[in-house]
């Protein structure tokens, strides 16, 4: 998946932004949300963020 892929259009967050949050210590959707504000508008991206976060944590 492309790092520039937009995961959360509401907050203009890309996959790269989420990966960065995980790199900086976020270890759950909740923490990524806190760090990036992802999913804090419509919430539609929640599933996607969870998926990307999980994947990033495996690495
Ligand atoms: S797409 Fe992420 S909050 Fe709307």
């Amino acid at each position: 998946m492309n790092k520039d892929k937009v995961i959360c259009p509401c907050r203009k967050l890309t996959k790269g932004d989420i990966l960065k949050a995980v790199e900086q210590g976020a270890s759950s959707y909740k923490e990524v949300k806190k760090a990036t504000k992802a999913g804090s508008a419509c919430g539609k991206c929640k599933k996607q963020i969870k998926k990307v976060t999980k994947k990033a944590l495996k690495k």
Side-chain angles (χ1 to χ4, degrees), residues 1-38:
M1 210 197 279
N2 192 326
K3 271 196 178 176
D4 292 331
K5 189 180 168 181
V6 175
I7 303 284
C8 175
C10 291
R11 300 292 182 205
K12 293 195 175 56
L13 290 164
T14 61
K15 192 187 175 200
D17 292 321
I18 293 165
L19 294 179
K20 208 165 129 197
V22 172
E23 250 165 47
Q24 288 171 350
S27 59
S28 65
Y29 164 71
K30 240 182 168 175
E31 286 178 20
V32 168
K33 185 176 172 183
K34 216 169 129 192
T36 62
K37 303 263 191 305

